[in-house]
């Protein structure tokens, strides 16, 4: 006895327009079944550009000050600062980056000799909303034998559909303690994707957005 097999497509024959709609829906569902990722973007602006004579130079020695942030975001600010240091070491291999915390160790003090106590007093005064003063910037740079100082301020915003990380970055000149460059890097992660059955929330990690922001900063820092 021979068994007769009927093609499924022949049994469920659909008009052309309905078939195209069904195919599109199946493709959309298949796409949603794959890994969902947030959309990441970066941008940046320069608020104060250094004159050519004030450029950092290929052999700059830079004190990296602790990052500033609103209360509750200290850990995020620290992550962003670590990412910026990594980015600058990769892009500007001639620069010497000096984390400010190393100045608290007398054995690691600069040419001025053991100065951990002085450095601690300056850093304690430099964590407020205004950041470091010109006078303290000069003193700290002298302790470290540095040519410049850099400080980040984190701005972190999160809404229902996206998260935004901005780093306001300020560069100070050692001799004067004055700002010679100021700019911002911004990273945005949109974590709402619209699928077949409406909006879908996908995880967006702070580190990923912060990396976009620090790259935007590093691309704009003067050489």
């Amino acid at each position: 006895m021979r068994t007769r097999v009927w093609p499924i497509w022949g049994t469920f024959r659909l008009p052309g327009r309905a078939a195209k709609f069904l195919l599109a829906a199946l493709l959309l569902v298949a796409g949603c079944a794959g890994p969902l990722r947030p959309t990441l973007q970066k941008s940046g602006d320069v608020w104060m550009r250094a004159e050519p004579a004030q450029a950092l130079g290929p052999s700059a020695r830079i004190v990296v000050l602790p990052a500033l942030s609103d209360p509750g975001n200290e850990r995020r600010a620290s992550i962003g600062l670590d990412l910026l240091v990594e980015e600058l070491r990769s892009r500007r291999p001639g620069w010497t980056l000096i984390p400010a915390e190393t100045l608290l160790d007398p054995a690691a003090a600069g040419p001025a000799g053991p100065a951990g106590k002085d450095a601690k007093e300056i850093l304690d005064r430099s964590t407020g909303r205004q950041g470091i003063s010109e006078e303290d910037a000069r003193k700290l740079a002298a302790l470290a034998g540095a040519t410049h100082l850099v400080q980040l301020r984190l701005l972190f915003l999160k809404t229902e559909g996206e998260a935004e990380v901005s780093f306001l970055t300020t560069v100070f000149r050692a001799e004067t303690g004055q700002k010679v460059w100021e700019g911002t890097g911004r990273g945005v992660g949109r974590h709402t994707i619209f699928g077949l059955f409406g909006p879908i929330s996908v995880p967006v990690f702070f580190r990923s957005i912060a990396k976009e922001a620090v790259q935007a900063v590093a691309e704009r820092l003067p050489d």
Side-chain angles (χ1 to χ4, degrees):
M1 179 178 178
R2 179 177 297 178
T3 303
R4 189 171 184 180
V5 179
W6 290 90
I8 296 177
W9 186 256
T11 305
F12 301 99
R13 205 176 285 275
L14 296 172
R17 182 176 298 178
K20 291 179 181 179
F21 175 79
L22 178 60
L23 179 61
L26 290 173
L27 290 175
L28 185 57
V29 171
C32 291
L36 299 175
R37 298 183 178 88
T39 301
L40 298 177
Q41 295 178 330
K42 66 179 177 181
S43 62
D45 300 295
V46 174
W47 304 108
M48 179 191 300
R49 184 176 296 279
E51 298 296 329
Q54 295 179 322
L56 276 64
S59 303
R61 287 178 55 85
I62 305 169
V63 173
V64 182
L65 295 167
L68 306 175
S69 69
D70 293 329
N73 282 324
E74 292 86 356
R75 176 58 182 160
R76 293 188 178 98
S78 179
I79 291 173
L81 189 62
D82 290 344
L83 289 171
L84 180 64
V85 169
E86 292 177 9
E87 194 71 23
L88 292 181
R89 283 177 175 160
S90 174
R91 292 173 178 262
R92 312 288 205 283
W95 288 3
T96 300
L97 302 179
I98 308 168
E101 293 79 3
T102 63
L103 302 177
L104 304 181
D105 180 5
K117 181 179 178 182
D118 293 341
K120 185 177 187 307
E121 291 177 355
I122 292 173
L123 294 176
D124 287 344
R125 292 195 297 266
S126 305
T127 56
R129 181 171 292 275
Q130 299 302 320
I132 196 168
S133 67
E134 290 185 7
E135 181 180 0
D136 282 342
R138 288 197 306 270
K139 291 180 179 179
L140 197 63
L143 294 175
T147 60
H148 298 83
L149 304 91
V150 64
Q151 189 160 48
L152 257 65
R153 181 186 297 276
L154 165 67
L155 301 175
F156 179 60
L157 301 173
K158 188 172 183 180
T159 64
E160 184 177 349
E162 69 180 29
E164 178 180 318
V165 175
S166 294
F167 288 115
L168 175 63
T169 309
T170 306
V171 178
F172 304 86
R173 190 168 181 81
E175 292 89 341
T176 63
Q178 294 178 335
K179 299 176 182 179
V180 294
W181 189 90
E182 196 164 50
T184 186
R186 184 180 300 106
V188 177
R190 292 183 174 83
H191 50 86
T192 297
I193 297 176
F194 290 90
L196 180 62
F197 302 107
I200 302 171
S201 294
V202 296
V204 55
F205 298 103
F206 173 84
R207 188 180 182 89
S208 300
I209 310 174
K211 189 171 182 63
E212 300 292 324
V214 300
Q215 285 178 350
V217 169
E219 289 169 359
R220 289 163 174 79
L221 274 171
D223 293 328

